[in-house]
């Protein structure tokens, strides 16, 4: 399971999943996973595996499948019995790590990507940090399915195109994270010494209205730029903000780690000279 990312919205959870299904639990067993050490040493370890019969494929553009096998390595949370129905937000596991043949999946964000169904409604248990799905507790299955299918796929290539339009060369896609933007434009945001209004102004320079997205969650995508240096030297990155699948903001971050400065994407000479 991937516990690394905290999902604030259904949009983010949907866009980070390779496959979304409504499925019925069939069986539970164990599978051996491979742990790779020094000098290519391989150590097997057992992991919980639940096999589900797929009742519906909810991912946009995904070919229907009949069965999924979900692996839970650390802190298994799928408390299933045969016949239980779930909505699962899945990512395909790297085949190098499983000793058993066939495709295996894990749920995004651990229990964040798991929703049990009871009598056609979404039920718990929900953890406090399960923010994307917690609002659906008690909602009908139809409501959750309709919201999943209505989410616009995230066009990550649009972030690169926006940044490169102003002369930057993107060398790699970095992190993706969910951020909560404040209702008050003068409130601190992201970096020491900066307010949310600073990012509104930087985005406005390239025709984006970040202020219209406040308050609420946004997805920020970080792109490493050609001027980037090792971690102990000056670094350059671009940040592009999405809301509901649409780009709503963008800015450049430069400087020594933890002493960042923010520029508009169109301010390439000023950022490089900083």
């Amino acid at each position: 399971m991937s516990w690394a990312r905290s999902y604030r919205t259904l949009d983010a959870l949907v866009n980070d999943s390779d496959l979304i299904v409504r499925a019925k639990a069939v069986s539970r067993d164990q599978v051996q996973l491979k742990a790779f050490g020094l000098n290519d040493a391989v150590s097997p370890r057992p992991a919980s595996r639940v096999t589900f019969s797929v009742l519906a494929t909810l991912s946009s553009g995904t070919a229907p499948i009949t069965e999924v096998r979900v692996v839970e390595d650390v802190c298994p949370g799928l408390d299933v019995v045969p016949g239980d129905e779930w909505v699962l937000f899945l990512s395909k596991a790297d085949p190098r790590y499983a000793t058993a043949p066939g495709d295996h999946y894990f749920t995004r964000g651990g229990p964040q990507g798991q929703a049990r169904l009871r009598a056609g409604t979404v039920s718990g248990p929900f953890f406090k940090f399960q923010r994307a799905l917690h609002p659906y507790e008690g909602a009908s299955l139809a409501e959750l399915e309709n919201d999943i299918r209505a989410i616009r796929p995230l066009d990550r290539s649009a972030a690169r195109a926006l940044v490169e339009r102003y002369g930057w060369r993107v060398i790699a896609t970095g992190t993706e994270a969910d951020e909560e933007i404040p209702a008050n434009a003068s409130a601190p945001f992201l970096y020491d010494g900066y307010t949310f209004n600073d990012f509104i102004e930087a985005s406005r320079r390239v025709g984006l209205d970040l202020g219209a997205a406040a308050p609420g969650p946004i997805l920020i995508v970080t792109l490493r730029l050609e001027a980037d240096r090792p971690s102990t030297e000056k670094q350059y990155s671009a940040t592009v903000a999405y809301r509901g699948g649409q780009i709503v903001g963008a800015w450049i971050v430069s400087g020594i780690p933890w002493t960042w400065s923010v520029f508009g994407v169109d301010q390439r000479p000023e950022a490089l000279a900083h």
Side-chain angles (χ1 to χ4, degrees):
M1 288 187 295
S2 171
W3 293 71
R5 182 171 173 184
S6 176
Y7 295 95
R8 295 173 185 261
T9 66
L10 186 65
D11 289 50
L13 184 57
V14 167
N15 273 297
D16 213 27
S17 300
D18 297 328
L19 177 68
I20 306 170
V21 297
R22 177 166 60 87
K24 181 182 293 187
V26 175
S27 63
R28 178 192 288 277
D29 61 0
Q30 285 191 338
V31 64
Q32 294 292 318
L33 299 182
K34 300 174 185 176
F36 295 91
L38 294 175
N39 301 318
D40 296 323
V42 178
S43 302
R45 67 179 187 275
S48 173
R49 178 174 65 176
V50 181
T51 299
F52 290 88
S53 174
V54 176
L55 304 174
T57 303
L58 307 180
S59 305
S60 175
T62 303
I65 62 174
T66 60
E67 184 181 88
V68 291
R69 291 171 294 178
V70 179
V71 175
E72 295 188 297
D73 185 10
V74 179
C75 300
L78 274 170
D79 180 20
V80 301
V81 296
D84 274 357
E85 288 190 20
W86 295 73
V87 174
L88 302 170
F89 298 78
L90 304 167
S91 284
K92 195 171 184 179
D94 190 323
R96 294 177 300 168
Y97 295 101
T99 58
D103 293 336
H104 289 79
Y105 293 83
F106 59 89
T107 53
R108 293 305 310 175
Q112 296 179 83
Q114 306 166 1
R116 189 199 306 268
L117 303 173
R118 297 284 196 204
T121 62
V122 181
S123 69
F126 286 104
F127 294 90
K128 185 177 180 180
F129 62 83
Q130 203 170 354
R131 289 175 290 182
L133 293 179
H134 209 162
Y136 287 91
E137 186 169 11
S140 68
L141 169 61
E143 181 180 349
L144 177 57
E145 288 186 338
N146 288 338
D147 285 357
I148 290 170
R149 290 192 169 105
I151 289 172
R152 179 176 177 176
L154 190 67
D155 183 2
R156 292 175 173 85
S157 64
R160 177 187 288 262
L162 169 64
V163 173
E164 292 184 339
R165 186 185 310 155
Y166 292 93
W168 297 98
R169 183 170 63 86
V170 177
I171 59 174
T173 300
T175 59
E176 293 185 11
D178 301 307
E179 292 289 343
E180 192 76 19
I181 55 180
N184 185 349
S186 62
F189 189 65
L190 292 183
Y191 307 114
D192 289 342
Y194 285 91
T195 68
F196 181 54
N197 191 61
D198 294 318
F199 298 90
I200 292 175
E201 293 302 319
S203 299
R204 187 173 291 149
R205 296 182 64 94
V206 291
L208 298 171
D209 189 2
L210 180 62
I218 53 172
L219 170 68
I220 58 173
V221 177
T222 301
L223 306 172
R224 290 179 54 217
L225 303 175
E226 82 275 9
D228 197 44
R229 296 291 181 267
S231 61
T232 56
E233 301 177 26
K234 188 175 290 186
Q235 298 175 36
Y236 293 86
S237 64
T239 301
V240 178
Y242 286 82
R243 181 76 173 271
Q246 300 272 10
I247 293 178
V248 295
W251 53 87
I252 300 296
V253 179
S254 71
I256 305 299
W258 314 120
T259 60
W260 307 114
S261 295
V262 175
F263 297 88
V265 179
D266 63 324
Q267 294 181 292
R268 188 171 186 273
E270 295 90 333
L272 292 175
H274 173 256

